Structures are given as C-alpha cells and as structure tokens.
Amino acid sequence: MAVQEHQPVIDQSVLATIRKIMKLQDGATSEGEAAACAARIADICLKHNLEIGSVQLEQDETEASEAEYLSTGVYQTHYVWLQSAVQGMFNVGSYSQRCAGLPRKTRIVFYGLKTNVESANVTFEYLLASVEAMLQGWKNEGNKGRGSAAYRAFRIGCAERIDHRALHQVRQQKSQLAGNTECAAIVLLGNKLIAAHEKRMNLRSRRCFGYSFANSDAHGAGYAAGGRVDLHGARSSRMLS
C-alpha cells in the first residue's frame, strides 16, 4: 500500500463545518442563498489551504470501495508483483482469496477510493495480459518447449521489472507533486479509507515476495521484457476512459 509521508492533516472540525454549509447550500431556497453558502465554503478552504475537490471527496466517500478481478486459473507467483505495482500506481490496497467451490479460481480485490480501485483493477488485468504477450513473443524467438518452469521464471522476471518501474514512477510523482495540497488531501483520504477497511475486515497490508525459480536466463529475459511494457497502456488502449 502506498503511503504519502509528511503531508498536512486536514482538521476534521473544519471539514464538518464545510459539510454543514454544503447541506445548507443543497437546501437553499434562492440563488442568492446558495451563492452565499458557496462563498463561505470558498473562504474557509482558502483560509485553511484546502481544495474543494478533496473536501467533496471527504463528504462523498466515507468508506473504501472495492473492485474485484477473478483469475482464470490458479493464483500465480507473478500476480504478487503486479498487485504491488498497481497498489503503488493508484494508492490502493489489495488482497487475494480463493473462491469457495472453485479451486482454480482466485478473487483479487483492490480497495480504496472508488476511481482508484476501478483504475487499479483494469490496469491489473492489462498488465497480466501484457506479461502473457511478452511471454508469447519470447516463445516465438525460439523458446517454445522450454517447459513450465522456464515460463514461470519469465513471468516472474517480467512482473518484477514492472513493479520496479512502477515504484520508480511513484517516487518521481511524489517529488513533482510536493506541496500540492489537493493531491496531499486526496492521498490522505485514500490512506484513511484503506486503513479503516483493513481494520474492519481484519486485513494485513503486506508485501510478500518469497519465490524461487530454476531458470535464471528465462527470468532475465522476462525482466528485460518488463521494461518494454507500457505501464499506462490500459488508458492508451481505452481500457480506461
């Protein structure tokens, strides 16, 4: 789970005041009354260095949303790396769970802000398909018949590189957005919803990357291939609008 450090904490009493004014604005009986409420909200946001977008999110999203991806087969080691990648890219949490009565199916669930989890879910599916496409390309280069162990090592290497690139990207974005109060407030809200969801469902946020592979050359080929995957391909391919 991505954590934003050293961000200002939003005063909950200030948010409560803004919410009350928003309710008055919704129930306003005249345009003048509604405009006066909007002006009061704007003044409070300016005084406390808040952005109306993050305040609206605080009001609309009071608990984490979930988005689910249902695996087409047995949960595989490289899934962990791809979950980690999208967790960092979209500031969400995730967990996996075997489907009762479906031994070869696994639910992979992302949770956090609604838009974030929807994007994470679609991107996870896209990255899975990208790993398979890279593997197929490697097979076509004269590696057909190498066997399941080599293919597993390739997938792990490819997903590992994707995660490393995503982590680097997140660090760059944090540096570029330093001081942006709107982004800081949204990240704080997302982290708060994630933490509350984990507590409510007794989830543990952890990164477990214990794995082994016998084919170092296949792993290396996969790691190199992971450098060619477009991390934002889900958006450019219109999987995300």
Side-chain angles (χ1 to χ4, degrees):
M1 178 177 64
V3 178
Q4 187 84 359
E5 299 178 351
H6 310 303
Q7 297 295 353
V9 177
I10 301 176
D11 190 325
Q12 293 300 308
S13 64
V14 173
L15 290 176
T17 299
I18 293 175
R19 292 190 191 104
K20 288 180 181 179
I21 300 173
M22 283 180 168
K23 288 183 179 179
L24 291 175
Q25 184 180 24
D26 290 340
T29 56
S30 68
E31 290 185 6
E33 186 178 347
C37 289
R40 287 180 62 193
I41 292 171
D43 287 342
I44 294 173
C45 287
L46 181 63
K47 178 179 178 181
H48 294 277
N49 200 27
L50 299 175
E51 297 286 344
I52 192 63
S54 58
V55 172
Q56 191 67 50
L57 274 178
E58 281 271 2
Q59 177 172 309
D60 294 342
E61 301 204 33
T62 57
E63 63 180 41
S65 298
E66 286 192 345
E68 173 187 302
Y69 172 80
L70 185 63
S71 71
T72 56
V74 176
Y75 188 91
Q76 299 184 58
T77 305
H78 69 287
Y79 287 14
V80 179
W81 292 97
L82 299 184
Q83 283 177 244
S84 174
V86 298
Q87 281 181 214
M89 290 168 65
F90 297 103
N91 192 36
V92 298
S94 75
Y95 64 90
S96 57
Q97 184 180 64
R98 290 183 180 179
C99 297
L102 299 172
R104 296 184 62 83
K105 295 281 187 179
T106 301
R107 295 174 62 241
I108 299 169
V109 181
F110 299 98
Y111 53 90
L113 290 171
K114 180 176 172 54
T115 300
N116 290 3
V117 298
E118 290 174 350
S119 297
N121 194 44
V122 174
T123 298
F124 179 76
E125 183 178 2
Y126 162 78
L127 292 176
L128 279 177
S130 296
V131 170
E132 293 307 308
M134 290 295 174
L135 174 60
Q136 186 59 51
W138 184 66
K139 288 180 180 179
N140 293 339
E141 292 172 357
N143 294 287
K144 288 184 179 179
R146 288 286 299 273
S148 60
Y151 301 154
R152 175 177 179 272
F154 183 98
R155 290 186 178 102
I156 291 173
C158 191
E160 185 179 352
R161 179 68 177 278
I162 289 170
D163 182 49
H164 290 171
R165 291 176 58 212
L167 179 60
H168 177 70
Q169 175 184 280
V170 170
R171 287 172 176 166
Q172 285 185 319
Q173 289 176 341
K174 285 183 178 181
S175 176
Q176 293 169 357
L177 296 175
N180 186 314
T181 56
E182 175 77 349
C183 290
I186 292 172
V187 169
L188 278 172
L189 174 59
N191 287 345
K192 183 175 72 174
L193 296 183
I194 289 169
H197 196 67
E198 289 173 346
K199 183 177 181 180
R200 182 167 58 251
M201 297 189 65
N202 196 29
L203 297 171
R204 292 184 179 181
S205 180
R206 59 183 183 272
R207 288 164 59 96
C208 180
F209 298 113
Y211 64 92
S212 62
F213 52 86
N215 300 79
S216 58
D217 63 324
H219 178 269
Y223 194 85
R228 300 194 298 272
V229 173
D230 180 0
L231 298 183
H232 301 285
R235 187 178 301 279
S236 60
S237 64
R238 299 186 180 182
M239 291 180 72
L240 291 173
S241 59

